[in-house]
Amino acid sequence: MERMAMAGRGWTLGVSAAALLIAAGCQKQGGTQGGSAQKQGGDQQATASQSSQQAEQSSKQAADADKKAADAQGKMASDQKDVREAQQQLTETQQKAQQDQSKAQQSEQQASQASQQAQQQTASAQQATQPQSGQDTQQPAGAQQSAQASSQQKDVSGQIVSASAQEIVLRQGGGGPDLRLTVGPQTSVMVGGQQGSVSDLKEGTQVRASYSGSADRPQAIRIEAQGASSGKQQ
C-alpha cells in the first residue's frame, strides 16, 4: 500500500511538473508573439511616417514645379511681347528707310535737273557772249555795240567781194588781203546816207567799214556804202 501511495504521489508530481513545463512554454510563446506584434506595429508606424514625409516632399516638389511652370509661362509671354515690339520696330525702320531712299532719289533727280539747267544756261551765255561766224548772235544790239565800243575800233575801205546775212568779204585797197567781217543785227548799215541792210550790199559796192575784235574774228560795227558798182575790181 505504501508503495502504491508513493507511486501515486510520484505520478502526481510528474503530472504537475509536466503541467508547469507546458505552462512555461505557453508563457514563453505568448511573450514571443507579443514582442513580434509590438515590433511589427513599430515597423508599420515607421513606414507610415516615412510615407507621410515622402508625400509631403512630393507635394512640395509639385508646388515648386507649378511655380517654375508659371514663371516659365510668364517669361515666355514677356519674350513674345519683346519679339512683337522688335518686329514692329523693324517694320517702322524699314518704312522710314524706304521713305528716306525715295526722298534721296527725288533730291538726286532735282539736283540732276538743276545741273542740266545750269549747263544749258552756261552754254547759252557762252553763245551770247561769243558769237561764231555763220550764226546770228542772240545778244541785244545795244549791249553788243557797247561791248564793241569798249574794244579798239578800226576803219577800212574796200570793195564788196561777197555779202551774206552772216558776213561780208571786203577787198581792201592798196593790194591788202581780203578781209572777212562778221555781221549781224548789231551791225549798222548805211546805203546812200540812209539806213539799209546787209542785203543791200552787192558785189562790187565800194564801202567804208568800222570793225573791232580779234584778227581771226573781226566784228563789223558800221558799214557805209559809198555807191554801187556794176563791175568787179580787177
Side-chain angles (χ1 to χ4, degrees):
M1 292 291 291
E2 187 177 354
R3 288 184 178 181
M4 291 179 62
M6 290 180 64
R9 286 197 296 270
W11 182 83
T12 301
L13 291 174
V15 171
S16 298
L20 289 174
L21 290 173
I22 291 172
C26 290
Q27 185 178 2
K28 182 177 180 181
Q29 184 177 1
T32 302
Q33 290 178 350
S36 176
Q38 185 177 2
K39 181 178 180 182
Q40 184 176 2
D43 291 341
Q44 290 178 350
Q45 185 177 2
T47 301
S49 176
Q50 185 177 3
S51 298
S52 177
Q53 292 178 355
Q54 290 178 351
E56 182 179 359
Q57 186 176 2
S58 297
S59 177
K60 183 177 180 181
Q61 290 177 351
D64 292 340
D66 291 340
K67 185 176 182 301
K68 290 181 180 180
D71 293 341
Q73 289 179 351
K75 187 175 184 303
M76 182 176 65
S78 178
D79 292 341
Q80 289 177 347
K81 181 180 178 182
D82 293 340
V83 169
R84 288 194 299 269
E85 291 178 352
Q87 289 176 344
Q88 182 177 0
Q89 185 176 4
L90 176 61
T91 301
E92 293 176 353
T93 302
Q94 290 176 343
Q95 292 176 350
K96 187 176 183 301
Q98 291 177 352
Q99 293 176 355
D100 292 341
Q101 184 179 5
S102 178
K103 290 180 180 179
Q105 291 177 349
Q106 292 178 356
S107 298
E108 185 177 357
Q109 291 177 354
Q110 292 175 355
S112 177
Q113 292 176 356
S115 177
Q116 291 177 358
Q117 291 178 355
Q119 291 176 356
Q120 291 175 356
Q121 291 175 356
T122 301
S124 298
Q126 290 177 349
Q127 290 178 357
T129 56
Q130 298 180 0
Q132 297 180 356
S133 176
Q135 297 181 353
D136 293 337
T137 179
Q138 301 298 322
Q139 188 173 3
Q144 181 66 20
Q145 289 176 354
S146 176
Q148 290 176 342
S150 63
S151 62
Q152 185 179 2
Q153 294 185 3
K154 297 179 182 180
D155 296 328
V156 64
S157 297
Q159 189 179 59
I160 296 295
V161 176
S162 64
S164 68
Q166 288 80 33
E167 72 173 8
I168 62 171
V169 178
L170 185 63
R171 181 165 295 163
Q172 302 181 70
D178 292 348
L179 179 63
R180 293 180 177 272
L181 299 177
T182 300
V183 297
Q186 80 280 1
T187 303
S188 175
V189 179
M190 302 296 294
V191 179
Q194 296 182 354
Q195 186 69 37
S197 64
V198 178
S199 62
D200 297 327
L201 302 177
K202 306 300 181 180
E203 183 180 355
T205 302
Q206 192 70 25
V207 298
R208 178 181 176 84
S210 298
Y211 68 94
S212 65
S214 61
D216 59 342
R217 189 179 298 173
Q219 306 288 325
I221 301 173
R222 182 181 176 85
I223 299 175
E224 297 180 4
Q226 298 177 1
S229 174
S230 59
K232 297 181 181 180
Q233 181 176 346
Q234 300 296 327

